[in-house]
Amino acid sequence: MHRGPITSVLSTQHDQIVYTGGYNRCIYQWNRATGEGTFIGSHEHIINSISLSENGKYLASASSDYTIQLYDTGTNTRIRTLFGHADDVEAVAFAKQDTLLVSVSRDRRCLVWDIETGAILREFHGHSKDVLAVWIHGDKAYTTGDDGYVLVWLYETGEIVGEIGPFDYELDTISGSNQKEVFALGRDDGTVIIYDAATLQEKKIIKAHLQGVKRVNFSPSGNYLLTAGYDHLIKLWNYETGDLVDTLLPHKYQWERSLVWTEDEKSILGASFGKTYCEWSIEKGKVISDEIEMATPSINDIALTDAGDIITASDDGKFRKNGIEIAKSTGVLTNGVAVARDGSYYAWGDHASQVHIVHESLQQMVSFDLNTGPVNSVYFHEEDRQLHRCDRAVK
């Protein structure tokens, strides 16, 4: 099982097999019926995403160790490691009937690889900042990133044939439907824009979330669109009408970084901060297994009092002073912690947009919702003792 957050999830073989990759650098194969996990391989750093070829023969993993690994799913063996990027590889996608692989990276480059030989066939330098996501449609690659552009280019020649932008924000996610010949972008203001893949004309706008959209994903038929935001909500939409179909009940360990449909469109599989992935039944609208365990109580932030006490923020969401719980946990992981200069108050920011303040002597907690998305940093002003926070989520 995973010993750190799961970053990417895939479903295959008629939804019987699930693949996951995560922070502990490992790839696992899961029997969906039994829940049994099998170790497949590992990187030297965290795995940012995994991708499956259309024929199901190959699995590719993108890592912050600057490499891509290619696996044979029939034997669960690594075929080769691809070296070429000079920074974190964020995403990979198969192309040209699974003969090519397109990768995007924080080195601002997109590389096109020959699957059979592992050779780099093309380098694309169109983006001016980190490239974060890619979608393949026909002979074109649609890539997005920190420069606020969607660039459309021919992956065999590197020629740019279209662009959208620049937007005044980063573009974290793109997803398309080959059946409907459209793609969707998630925006930081909570809206989702759907475009015609051929003309790049805007087709519709959906006001999906209260905060930025973290993930979008079309169902296999293209009839439905999944959106997930920093508001910790996962929503399902009718693509044709733009109407909301359902909002899935959240799970405390869910992570909106990766969410996929099963082939039968009856379930949603998602990344998590647990030892295994989350699975929602669309009919029930909730996670169908309550047995998900926290992968690790890893510490995300610390604060020190003048007396030398250590206050920690951790993945298990427990409020600790010197390793001892001092208030009842909400069960949601905490990202940041701060202590007042005189040590009288402690404050935590968590993944579900809440800030929790505990009085040192009374050990009573007050919580309030910022409605902004994950709160990654909090601190007290030294003079006016006001609480400040930073809620821009880390990728």
Side-chain angles (χ1 to χ4, degrees):
M1 292 186 177
H2 285 277
R3 292 179 287 105
I6 295 171
T7 57
S8 191
V9 182
L10 291 175
S11 176
T12 186
Q13 295 185 17
H14 305 293
D15 299 325
Q16 297 177 9
I17 300 297
V18 177
Y19 292 97
T20 58
Y23 268 36
N24 68 333
R25 307 171 295 161
C26 296
I27 302 168
Y28 284 90
Q29 180 193 78
W30 302 86
N31 182 310
R32 186 163 165 241
T34 66
E36 180 181 359
T38 302
F39 172 77
I40 301 299
S42 65
H43 279 266
E44 296 298 317
H45 208 321
I46 65 173
I47 296 170
N48 294 311
S49 67
I50 53 177
S51 180
L52 193 70
S53 61
E54 187 175 352
N55 61 16
K57 182 179 179 180
Y58 301 112
L59 177 75
S61 56
S63 172
S64 290
D65 66 7
Y66 305 176
T67 72
I68 301 157
Q69 291 186 2
L70 191 65
Y71 291 86
D72 183 325
T73 59
T75 60
N76 284 338
T77 57
R78 183 171 60 192
I79 299 171
R80 63 177 54 89
T81 300
L82 304 179
F83 298 90
H85 282 291
D87 208 333
D88 297 9
V89 186
E90 289 295 322
V92 286
F94 288 88
K96 199 180 180 181
Q97 297 179 328
D98 299 330
T99 61
L100 302 179
L101 186 72
V102 179
S103 60
V104 301
S105 169
R106 291 190 180 274
D107 66 9
R108 306 182 181 184
R109 296 182 300 151
C110 307
L111 300 183
V112 182
W113 309 79
D114 184 291
I115 294 296
E116 186 66 27
T117 66
I120 298 174
L121 303 179
R122 182 79 46 202
E123 290 191 28
F124 178 73
H125 297 268
H127 288 278
S128 61
K129 294 183 179 180
D130 299 359
V131 193
L132 304 177
V134 57
W135 174 59
I136 301 297
H137 179 59
D139 59 353
K140 301 179 182 68
Y142 297 67
T143 52
T144 65
D146 284 349
D147 60 4
Y149 278 97
V150 180
L151 295 184
V152 185
W153 48 284
L154 302 175
Y155 52 74
E156 291 196 84
T157 67
E159 177 188 359
I160 297 178
V161 293
E163 68 176 48
I164 301 174
F167 294 95
D168 58 358
Y169 43 78
E170 303 164 359
L171 298 175
D172 294 352
T173 179
I174 184 172
S175 175
S177 169
N178 288 307
Q179 289 76 10
K180 302 295 183 180
E181 296 190 329
V182 296
F183 66 91
L185 295 177
R187 306 199 327 179
D188 270 2
D189 62 359
T191 61
V192 172
I193 309 178
I194 299 175
Y195 295 90
D196 185 286
T199 66
L200 303 186
Q201 295 298 307
E202 183 181 297
K203 292 179 69 71
K204 63 183 64 175
I205 297 178
I206 300 174
K207 180 59 179 176
H209 295 273
L210 297 175
Q211 291 88 41
V213 178
K214 182 69 174 175
R215 187 62 54 199
V216 292
N217 202 325
F218 280 94
S219 66
S221 67
N223 293 327
Y224 302 98
L225 177 67
L226 175 154
T227 67
Y230 289 127
D231 55 9
H232 209 52
L233 296 177
I234 301 170
K235 297 184 178 183
L236 310 180
W237 306 84
N238 183 302
Y239 160 68
E240 297 293 346
T241 65
D243 294 333
L244 179 64
V245 176
D246 199 5
T247 299
L248 303 180
L249 292 176
H251 189 277
K252 62 183 179 181
Y253 293 153
Q254 77 186 49
W255 194 11
E256 296 77 14
R257 178 164 174 159
S258 177
L259 291 155
V260 296
W261 299 76
T262 53
E263 295 175 13
D264 60 12
E265 299 188 359
K266 294 182 178 180
S267 298
I268 301 294
L269 309 179
S272 81
F273 292 96
K275 294 181 178 179
T276 185
Y277 58 91
C278 293
E279 179 174 347
W280 284 264
S281 163
I282 293 178
E283 180 183 4
K284 297 179 179 179
K286 64 179 182 180
V287 171
I288 59 176
S289 174
D290 294 325
E291 299 175 357
I292 300 174
E293 297 180 26
M294 171 61 66
T296 171
S298 296
I299 295 173
N300 298 318
D301 194 15
I302 64 172
L304 298 175
T305 69
D306 289 343
D309 295 315
I310 301 173
I311 318 300
T312 56
S314 55
D315 281 351
D316 59 9
K318 294 182 179 180
F319 308 111
R320 292 187 177 96
K321 172 184 175 182
N322 297 328
I324 300 173
E325 286 187 66
I326 60 172
K328 184 178 180 180
S329 172
T330 61
V332 177
L333 71 91
T334 50
N335 301 320
V337 64
V339 59
R341 188 177 181 86
D342 62 3
S344 58
Y345 289 94
Y346 314 129
W348 287 264
D350 73 19
H351 190 69
S353 188
Q354 289 196 325
V355 172
H356 312 277
I357 301 177
V358 174
H359 189 278
E360 194 277 336
S361 60
L362 300 178
Q363 294 190 0
Q364 294 178 341
M365 185 171 68
V366 176
S367 302
F368 54 92
D369 196 338
L370 296 178
N371 200 27
T372 58
V375 181
N376 290 313
S377 180
V378 294
Y379 66 96
F380 288 91
H381 194 285
E382 292 186 5
E383 295 181 359
D384 60 20
R385 295 180 63 188
Q386 289 182 338
L387 180 68
H388 298 256
R389 86 279 192 267
C390 174
D391 49 39
R392 174 58 176 158
V394 177
K395 294 181 181 60

